[in-house]
Every structure is written in structure tokens, then in C-alpha cells.
């Protein structure tokens, strides 16, 4: 049935010119979703496989590439379109046409420019010689001082959502999958890893590395990291890459990874990607983690020493199903990637560490969600819809707590309504029968209605309101974190009586309990903050989440001892999740001079995606 539909779409394109749009009824039979964030027209000509050679030059901070794309085209297609952003295209050739006359469209600020390559029905390969620009947004080139061991420079890529096109001419939409082989040349003392098979466990003395990705992936999962890194095995098919001074710490922190994989497989079926490794990147990596297939990219700020922040690993691992197997069709459907992943992450955490523990995580997420929804409702209510419309916007605008935690609470409500057994059976089938395919919000709603929910349940849940409505519906589940009851009581005792938690209590608390404690306290006086800091040394915490939570009341109260800690943190850590609330606290408490001064120093350490957000927040203008 599906095959027929594809053939129909192919035949359709064959008898029309490039410009002609399919009629509405025919559109539903198209293989690829219409993605507003890509210029490519995969229903006419689509990439299938990539053979790429990359030469990584740390002196010029430029990657030179030769990308040999294997393509498939519909009958009559006369061109294939790639996405690019500030790429220098040197030449393009095809297997049947030799060097061809390509053209570039005018640049769109968000999307970059389309690369049009003429093809015929005989064209099977398009070879593009290109180089990246000095402002390639996906790439972060770091000096040795910006790495953990400070021995060598580092390069990392961050392709999600639409930054792959800044280091690779590609059809840059989440629905367009391809397999790849890569040969990467790096300076002789450095190691390279990719989101692929073949990652090295030892340095290759000649600086040449080969990778092969046999499972088809979308471009946003293309990833490369190069630096002075070492490998440590954890289990038979798991391990960690990190700088030599932190690799053992990292291996110890992630010791539960095999248990997490078993838990995930027990829930929703076999892990589809072969190995699962984690690379711990320099602190300026803009995210907590990125689910690059076979090798999660992670921030070092999760190395707390006590494994208390490993839910992030559960999250990125969960993406191996939600996102990497069943992929959001377009960035408007981003909540399908992240909401499902937070739900799955919670289930893994519950299975490995118990319900009491995972409910603490859920409760922290719930509080954060309520705050964010309340904030958005002043002027940006549309952005609280799960089904967000990102037309003419950067997909990065959709990366909010809404996709993650409103998505999570919606799925939790479904679970609550139908019971775990029914929901788990549905989800297992969902991941199996849509593996390596895309999912749209509409199709998911249809699946819910056809395969899981009765009409009464659809109504009771309020599926339409949850997905297409703004705000947080009344029936939003409230996690039940029993371990927070004591914490809340202790926080209120401190607020009212000035009584500190006892040392017994303090010793028993995990970092989540401390986070809750700090958040519950709200605004405090300098005297209160001093008493707390003397007792619990929050300003010296080695736990990035506790430290970032502690910055809120201290910055707002003007607690002086925290100033150098904040500055040091902002200069060294580039994780956007921490930067935004910290700079916001500075701005909201009349310390914008200070914020700008620190930002001036810190900005060069940030990745482009973090820089863009902070530039907006701090109204930063580049000096001419
Ligand atoms: N895929 C995301 C990160 C991302 C999203 C990058 C959109 C670019 C565009 C990743 O899985 C993620 O969600 N990371 C979170 C971790 C978390 C919720 C545990 C992060 O970085 O904080
Ligand atoms: Zn995620």
C-alpha cells in the first residue's frame, strides 16, 4: 500500500514542472512531509547515502569537505536542492554530467541559501567540494585552555536543529534520512569521533579516521568531535570518551549505563544502534546533552561525583527510540521528540532508581513547567501550544519547557487514564512500527484515537486542548514526590523560624532535595543567605544544578560572596539552560551593568546557539 503511494507521488512529479505543486488529494500520498525549514524538495530528488571526506584544519578553523551524495529522483526531476549556510561551494559534479553549473539562492537569515544542482534521470551521484566559513554556527573551535586537560584544541559540532547545513551541504530536514561513510583527517595528536560506527578506542598516529553509519539518520544527527580524548569501556557495548584528566571520573559517573539500556529495552524494545557511548565535551558545549546516534554528546556539568545528574544520560539514551527511531516530521512537531523522551527518561529512572527518586525529578519538572507557562502567558501564549507554529521563525524558538515538560505531563496523563499496561503496549508498538520513519502531531493524534483511546477517554483527557490549546490544562497531573515533603517542611521552618535543616537531614538529602530546598526558599535576605552558605557551603558546591539554583536568590539579594563564583561559572560554562536564568536574575535585579561586563568576557567561550540567545537577552550589539 505504502509503495503504491510513493510510486504515485513519483509519477506525479514526473509529468509536472518543478514549480508545480501537487494538488491537495495527491499531497497526502507524498513520502516526505512539507518542512518549512528546508529548501530541499525531497519528493523530487532526495539524498540516500553520503560518502564524505573531511579535512579538519585547526589553524584556519575551517573544514574542507568533499561530499559525494548518492541520490534518488522522481522521473522528470531536473534538479536536486541542498541546504547550505555560509558554505563556500567550490565545485559540483555529477556522475553523468561532470562539472555542472550550480546556483545559490539569495540568503535567508534563518535558513541560509539553497544550492540548486541540475540533474537528469540518470544522475545517481552529486559530488560537492566545499569549505566551511569562519562563522559556521554548528562548529565550536576551542583553544586548549577551554578544555579540561588544557593540552590541545578541540572541535565539536551541534547540528540540531538546522545547523548541519553550516558544515555540510545537505537536505537539512528531520524527515530526510541517509546512511553515511566518512573519512576524517585531523592533526596527528588528536582523536576524532562521529555519530557512527567505527569510533576509535586508541589514537590513530596518522590522524586519519574512518566511520560508517549503516542506519539511516537525518542530518540533524550528524556529529563530529575532535580533540585530546581517551576512551574507557564501561560495559561490552558501552563506554565513555573524555579528556585524559576526566575520563576515569566520567566512566565512574556513568557506571549505570548498562542498567539504563536494559531498562529501556525491557520497556520499549531492542536498542537499534549497536554501541552506545558518551563523550564528555568541554564546558562550553551549549546543551546538557545531544542524542547523536551511538554517541551522546554531553556537558561536563553532569559530572557531580555522585551520579546524581545521570538522568540526562537516561534522556539522551531514550532518544535512541523517541527522536532517532521515530522522528518529528518537522520542527513544529518537536514536542513529539522531546515530550516522549522526557516521559521515557522518567520511566528509565524509575526502573533503575525507584519511583520515589523519579518522582522527585518529575516534581522539579512540574514546578519549572508551571513557572514557564505562567511567564509565556504574558504576551507569548501561542508558544505554550504543543503544536507550535514556527513559520518564519527559528526552530530554536520551539526549544522550551513546553515541548519537554508539557509534552511529558500530557503523556503522563494518558498513562494515568488508560493504565500502564495499555500505554506501554501502545508505545512499544509505536516505536516498532514507525522505526526509521517520521511522525506528525496529526498522525499521532490519529494513532491515539485509533489504537489506544476510547472516545470517552479522548474527551476525558482533552486531547485537543492539550495539543492545540494554550496554557496548562486543569487536569495536568501533579507528581507525588514524597521525599520533598520533609524538604518543604524544612524550607518553611527556615523561612519562618530561621531554623536550619539538621545535619542528619542534610546528610540524607540528594542533590534533588537540595534543589527543591533552594527553590522553595524563594527570596531571602543577605543574612539568611549567609547562614545557609555557612552551614551548607552552597557557593562552593561541585554540583552544577545546586550552584545554578543557588545563584537565583543570591544574585537577587545582592549577596556579595557569590559574585566571583557567578562570574567564574558564566565564563567557563556555556550550557544555555544555566546561562539564561542566571543572566536573567542579574537583569531583573538591576545588575545589568554587571551582567554585560561578565558577558563581554564570557561571550567568546559560548557556542553560537548560546550566543544568539544571550545576545537577545542582553541586548548585545556587536562592536563594528
Ligand atoms: N536534543 C536535545 C537538545 C537540543 C534540542 C539541541 C533542540 C538543539 C535543538 C537534547 O536531547 C536535550 O533535550 N537536552 C537537554 C537535556 C535534558 C532535558 C535532560 C539539555 O540540553 O538540557
Ligand atoms: Zn532531548
Amino acid at each position: 500500500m505504502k509503495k503504491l503511494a510513493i510510486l504515485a507521488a513519483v509519477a506525479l512529479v514526473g509529468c509536472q514542472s518543478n514549480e508545480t505543486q501537487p494538488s491537495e488529494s495527491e499531497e497526502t500520498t507524498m513520502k516526505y512531509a512539507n518542512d518549512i525549514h528546508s529548501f530541499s524538495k525531497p519528493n523530487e530528488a532526495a539524498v540516500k547515502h553520503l560518502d564524505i571526506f573531511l579535512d579538519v584544519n585547526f589553524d584556519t578553523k575551517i573544514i574542507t569537505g568533499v561530499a559525494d551524495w548518492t541520490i534518488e529522483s522522481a522521473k522528470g526531476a531536473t534538479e536536486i536542492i541542498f541546504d547550505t549556510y555560509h558554505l563556500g561551494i567550490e565545485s559540483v559534479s555529477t556522475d553523468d554530467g561532470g562539472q555542472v553549473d550550480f546556483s545559490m539562492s539569495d540568503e535567508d537569515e534563518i535558513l541560509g541559501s539553497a544550492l540548486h544542482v541540475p540533474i537528469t534521470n540518470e544522475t545517481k551521484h552529486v559530488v560537492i567540494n566545499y569549505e566551511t566559513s569562519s562563522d559556521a554556527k554548528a562548529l565550536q573551535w576551542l583553544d586548549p585552555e577551554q578544555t579540561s586537560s588544557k593540552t590541545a584544541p578541540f572541535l565539536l559540532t551541534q547540528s540540531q536543529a538546522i545547523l548541519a547545513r553550516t558544515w555540510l551541504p545537505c537536505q537539512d530536514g528531520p524527515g530526510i534520512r541517509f546512511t553515511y561513510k566518512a573519512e576524517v583527517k585531523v592533526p596527528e595528536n588528536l582523536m576524532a569521533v562521529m555519530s557512527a560506527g567505527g569510533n576509535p578506542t586508541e589514537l590513530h598516529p596518522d590522524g586519519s579516521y574512518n566511520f560508517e553509519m549503516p542506519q539511516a539518520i537525518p542530518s540533524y544527527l550528524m556529529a563530529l568531535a575532535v580533540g585530546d580524548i581517551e576512551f574507557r569501556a564501561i560495559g561490552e557495548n558501552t563506554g565513555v570518551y573524555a579528556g585524559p584528566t576526566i575520563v576515569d571520573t566520567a566512566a565512574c559517573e556513568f557506571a549505570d549505563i548498562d542498567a539504563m539500556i536494559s531498562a529501556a529495552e525491557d520497556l520499549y524494545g531492542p536498542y537499534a544502534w549497536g554501541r552506545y557511548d558518551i563523550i564528555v565535551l568541554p564546558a562550553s558545549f551549549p546543551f546538557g546533552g545531544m542524542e547523536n546516534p551511538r554517541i551522546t554528546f554531553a556537558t561536563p556539568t553532569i559530572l557531580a561525583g555522585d551520579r546524581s545528574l545521570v538522568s540526562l544520560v537516561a534522556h539522551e539514551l531514550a532518544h535512541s527510540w523517541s527522536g532517532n527511531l521515530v522522528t518529528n516530521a518537522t520542527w513544529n512537531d518537536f514536542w513529539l521528540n522531546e515530550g516522549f523522551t522526557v516521559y521515557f527518561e522518567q520511566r528509565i529512572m524509575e526502573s533503575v532508581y525507584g519511583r520515589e527518586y523519579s518522582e522527585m525529578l518529575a516534581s522539579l519538572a512540574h514546578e519549572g513547567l508551571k513557572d514557564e507557562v505562567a511567564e509565556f502567558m504574558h504576551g507569548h501564549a501561542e508558544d505554550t501550544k504543543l503544536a507550535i507554529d514556527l513559520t518564519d521563525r527559528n526552530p530554536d524558538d520551539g526549544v522550551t519547557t513546553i515541548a519537554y515538560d508539557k509534552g511529558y505531563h500530557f503523556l503522563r496523563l494518558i498513562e494515568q487514564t488508560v493504565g500502564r499496561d495499555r500505554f506501554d503496549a501502545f508505545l512499544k508498538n509505536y516505536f516498532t512500527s514507525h522505526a526509521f520513519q517520521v511522525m506528525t502531531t496529526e498522525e499521532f493524534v490519529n494513532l491515539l484515537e485509533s489504537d489506544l483511546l476510547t472516545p470517552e477517554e479522548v474527551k476525558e483527557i482533552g486531547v485537543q486542548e492539550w495539543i492545540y490549546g494554550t496554557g496548562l490544562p486543569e487536569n495536568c497531573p501533579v507528581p507525588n514526590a514524597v521525599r520533598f515533603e520533609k524538604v518543604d517542611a524544612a524550607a518553611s521552618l527556615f523561612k519562618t523560624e530561621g531554623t536550619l535543616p539538621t545535619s542528619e537531614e542534610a546528610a540524607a538529602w540528594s542533590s534533588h532535595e537540595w534543589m527543591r530546598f533552594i527553590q522553595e526558599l524563594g527570596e531571602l535576605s543577605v543574612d539568611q543567605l549567609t547562614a545557609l552558605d555557612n552551614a551548607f557551603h552552597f557557593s562552593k558546591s561541585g554540583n552544577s544544578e545546586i550552584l545554578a539554583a543557588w545563584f537565583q536568590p543570591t544574585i537577587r539579594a545582592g549577596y556579595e560572596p557569590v559574585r566571583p563564583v557567578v562570574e567564574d561559572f558564566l565564563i567557563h560554562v556555556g550550557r544555555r539552560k544555566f546561562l539564561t536564568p542566571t543572566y536573567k536574575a542579574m537583569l531583573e535585579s538591576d545588575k545589568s551593568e554587571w551582567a554585560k561586563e561578565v558577558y563581554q568576557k564570557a561571550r567568546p567561550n559560548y557556542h553560537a546557539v548560546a550566543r544568539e540567545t544571550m545576545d537577545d537577552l542582553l541586548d548585545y550589539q556587536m562592536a563594528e
Side-chain angles (χ1 to χ4, degrees), residues 282-305:
S284 52
F285 181 56
F287 295 104
M290 177 64 213
E291 66 272 26
N292 297 314
R294 295 187 185 219
I295 182 158
T296 282
F297 279 30
T299 168
T301 61
I302 55 167
L303 301 178

Side-chain angles (χ1 to χ4, degrees), residues 497-514:
E497 315 279 334
T499 315
L500 291 163
T502 64
S503 46
E504 250 181 12
E505 263 173 338
W509 283 359
S510 70
S511 58
H512 311 292
E513 279 139 319
W514 284 112

Side-chain angles (χ1 to χ4, degrees), residues 116-182:
H116 296 257
V117 178
I119 56 167
T120 70
N121 277 141
E122 268 54 68
T123 310
K124 296 286 169 274
H125 286 268
V126 174
V127 182
I128 306 170
N129 283 268
Y130 71 99
E131 61 175 29
T132 58
S133 70
S134 56
D135 66 352
K137 291 190 197 200
L139 306 182
Q140 193 171 19
W141 302 88
L142 297 165
D143 294 331
E145 309 74 61
Q146 295 169 292
T147 68
S148 53
S149 52
K150 310 200 187 313
T151 43
F154 202 100
L155 168 68
L156 64 89
T157 65
Q158 168 56 43
S159 298
Q160 196 182 12
I162 55 167
L163 302 183
R165 64 190 71 177
T166 72
W167 67 290
L168 170 70
C170 58
Q171 294 192 313
D172 201 7
I176 307 163
R177 288 178 179 265
F178 55 90
T179 51
Y180 77 88
K181 276 190 193 173

